[in-house]
Amino acid sequence: MLPALRTEVYEANLELVRRGLVIYTFGNASGISWEERLIVIKPSGVPYETMRPDDMVITNLEGRVVEGSLRPSSDLATHLTLYRAFPPIGGVVHTHSRHATAWAQACREIPCFGTTHADYFCGAVPVTAALTPEEIQSDYEANTGAAIVRLLEGRDPLGCPAALVAGHAPFCWGKSVTDAAHTAVIVEELAAMAWQTLTINPAAAPLPAALRDKHYFRKNGPKAYYGQKA
Amino acid sequence: MLPALRTEVYEANLELVRRGLVIYTFGNASGISWEERLIVIKPSGVPYETMRPDDMVITNLEGRVVEGSLRPSSDLATHLTLYRAFPPIGGVVHTHSRHATAWAQACREIPCFGTTHADYFCGAVPVTAALTPEEIQSDYEANTGAAIVRLLEGRDPLGCPAALVAGHAPFCWGKSVTDAAHTAVIVEELAAMAWQTLTINPAAAPLPAALRDKHYFRKNGPKAYYGQKA
Amino acid sequence: MLPALRTEVYEANLELVRRGLVIYTFGNASGISWEERLIVIKPSGVPYETMRPDDMVITNLEGRVVEGSLRPSSDLATHLTLYRAFPPIGGVVHTHSRHATAWAQACREIPCFGTTHADYFCGAVPVTAALTPEEIQSDYEANTGAAIVRLLEGRDPLGCPAALVAGHAPFCWGKSVTDAAHTAVIVEELAAMAWQTLTINPAAAPLPAALRDKHYFRKNGPKAYYGQKA
Amino acid sequence: MLPALRTEVYEANLELVRRGLVIYTFGNASGISWEERLIVIKPSGVPYETMRPDDMVITNLEGRVVEGSLRPSSDLATHLTLYRAFPPIGGVVHTHSRHATAWAQACREIPCFGTTHADYFCGAVPVTAALTPEEIQSDYEANTGAAIVRLLEGRDPLGCPAALVAGHAPFCWGKSVTDAAHTAVIVEELAAMAWQTLTINPAAAPLPAALRDKHYFRKNGPKAYYGQKA
């Protein structure tokens, strides 16, 4: 089933390794076929070195495995919550990449300090509120997704394709799992730059709105003029 | 003698090189056969580039060499103290990896700032008290082990598989030497993340107990549901 | 047209990848033939992995494409402004390299803290003033160049071959695009060293003028004695 | 002349590249034959990629080239001053490695924060006083060496095989050029650890004397017991 999506999800997972965002069995990427309403996701705790495309697990939107002999990522329920709440998205990526995780652990949003950031996010990479003990003790993974959904309330999820979960790490999404993995790499880079910016100037201010919007809309939306014509 | 353990210890030592935790002749890993009551340990001061499995040294629990023509690691007595005090463990790894060593030098435990940490430690990676001049001047390496043993008093050593020695560096252990090396890599990553977390937010607080326990027990203990069924 | 310059520009772009200054489609390098009054520049948004020398775009000094089927870098107008204002230069390089960008985001010049810096810059790497909303909303890229030109007013541009654009990132230039790419690598290294210098000693002072001048003129200008005789 | 030393000096220079201590033409290593009273040193400004053993330059202790067609390193006079003042040494290495240079730029000695440091230095890696304008304007390179010699006055130079030149970068030395290059790598690692130690705990104290001495003399001097018997 879904051989092309299976390969794309597999490659997106490997891209996280190649870009240095994950070690051992950290991280997970998934993609969805909205037509089939099926999700392809990395299996839980399988080392990247030996992982094969066939190891990807296919589930429905309720999380029932429909193909694959391995258990899906333990974060599956977070992915499912995001897919159900954000219908325009086609992929979800979760990593514990070093710099982005440091911001999540600091319970701080990543401020939009520069144009590198504004090329991807028209504002901060937001951070969720802490989950309550009740949310943690029951349906933890789904509630992690729900905290992200609440954080994005009223926004186009493709206009803010990542969030930090407080005390945890980033989740990223996009039109495809390839895009979500790309965003995960970008968020890691933005987190590293922002950390150093703060050290150099603890009073550093976010980018003025005019410059932020200029860069964001130069690369995103109908008036974008970065890159080659489609 | 013990060819399988010898190879495993050799490979664990090389894993430290591959993961960037050691340079030159830094670091040492050992494993124990509880059945034979024999330890296999890296030789002292031999470069990793030329080290062979046959260079591993086999000693008894009193540190007497029973096989091998090279001198064992100068930290052998620390390893032996840990094995004698922590019978469930099968391997010990010591490195001077950069970030974890910085925390040891700062004489600070690594706080459990996030779920990456809580996946492996249900609380801080603790730091020992300073050794007294007497402990340093006589039986230094054994006393280093004793400081770790005192620090872990009353705890299951497999529930806290690493400690920082104040002013020195981390020691890690586990069911096997492979596990101990894995923990050494994780501790280095946690140390890096915690350092950056503190820089971003000097008032960063440890993870709430509910989230810490959720992650720890999701991956450890009888109710773990991370990874594949055994 | 201009096959040698085309190859040199292509190679300078790749050098940015090899030195870790750019990821994905970040960054752009261009070179000029003053004889032909033509610029060779990287195309916009093309991944380095698949980019070929033939993909370079040739434009005139007004930015009209005279050869090439791809769109030129979206930062072309900044390059053109620099070429028109700085006739002695032969190449321009723009990156979002991590450490230099952190200084730009902090809106701080990189102080000349040491001789490594003074080997290349006889003073700080300066940072522009912020652009006004009007400058951003109309002719943004040309105005970015104009802000750099104002910053360098009255100076020999080859005596200060880089500047940080506030909230954005570095632009570098030189006698050739190869030199400009070399400077981009150096600025990144200087930015990293300066960041760490500040952390170690928040009151660190710039190098005394005598030592700064000694190093600068040891390596630059008519009395230079570093390197081999021409 | 001196083919073995020539090769050793060439290899020591390349080791600096392999360990990430130098970029482009940064850094220089030399070795001495005390019997011949001749120095073999890296040529000035030659890229490592194309450098060959035959490019090494041989000079006498007054700096006159006795073999080789290239100009010697512009720091030759610093090397010569160190050789003349420190007869037990056999090699000198100078780099602008990132972390050690940051300490030099901060005009701060690298405190002996841990046992990694104490394995090599029985105390801080010291930093010179600033050179006077007169010392800079005339015989700068020799005066740089003289500042190091003054700093080490009354000490065995092999007991403190490196120093930071204020506002500049580290110089290292040893029984051989191979040893000096090894020390340069260690100093870079110690500088990185010390920088992070200070960030984690701005009040971090140097290692107590007992522990510092224990580690230093465990690895150095007549009672050393680290490594294999000679």
Side-chain angles (χ1 to χ4, degrees), chain A residues 115 211, chain C residues 78 94 100-101 103-105 107 126-131 140 144-145 147-148 151 163-171:
Chain A
T115 60
L211 188 50
Chain C
T78 313
H94 171 51
T101 299
W103 283 90
Q105 293 189 158
C107 298
V127 63
T128 66
L131 272 66
Y140 167 63
T144 296
I148 296 172
L151 184 70
L164 305 178
V165 176
H168 190 152
F171 278 83

Side-chain angles (χ1 to χ4, degrees), chain D residues 187-221:
Chain D
V187 167
E188 178 64 359
E189 186 66 26
L190 300 178
M193 285 177 176
W195 162 57
Q196 295 183 16
T197 300
L198 258 196
T199 319
I200 294 167
N201 183 0
L207 213 55
L211 187 50
R212 180 197 69 200
D213 293 354
K214 175 66 192 179
H215 266 263
Y216 186 73
F217 293 110
R218 186 171 96 146
K219 206 160 174 176
N220 301 274

Side-chain angles (χ1 to χ4, degrees), chain C residues 119-197:
Chain C
D119 280 341
Y120 293 89
F121 293 85
C122 198
V125 177
V127 63
T128 66
L131 272 66
T132 64
E134 292 70 34
E135 290 171 324
I136 291 165
Q137 276 141 21
S138 146
D139 277 333
Y140 167 63
E141 290 83 6
N143 286 328
T144 296
I148 296 172
V149 172
R150 280 196 303 274
L151 184 70
L152 272 280
E153 205 181 326
R155 304 181 64 173
D156 170 11
L158 289 176
C160 178
L164 305 178
V165 176
H168 190 152
F171 278 83
C172 305
W173 49 88
K175 281 187 190 167
S176 65
V177 63
T178 305
D179 282 6
H182 183 100
T183 297
V185 177
I186 295 295
V187 167
E188 178 64 359
E189 187 66 26
L190 301 178
M193 285 177 176
W195 162 57
Q196 296 183 18
T197 301

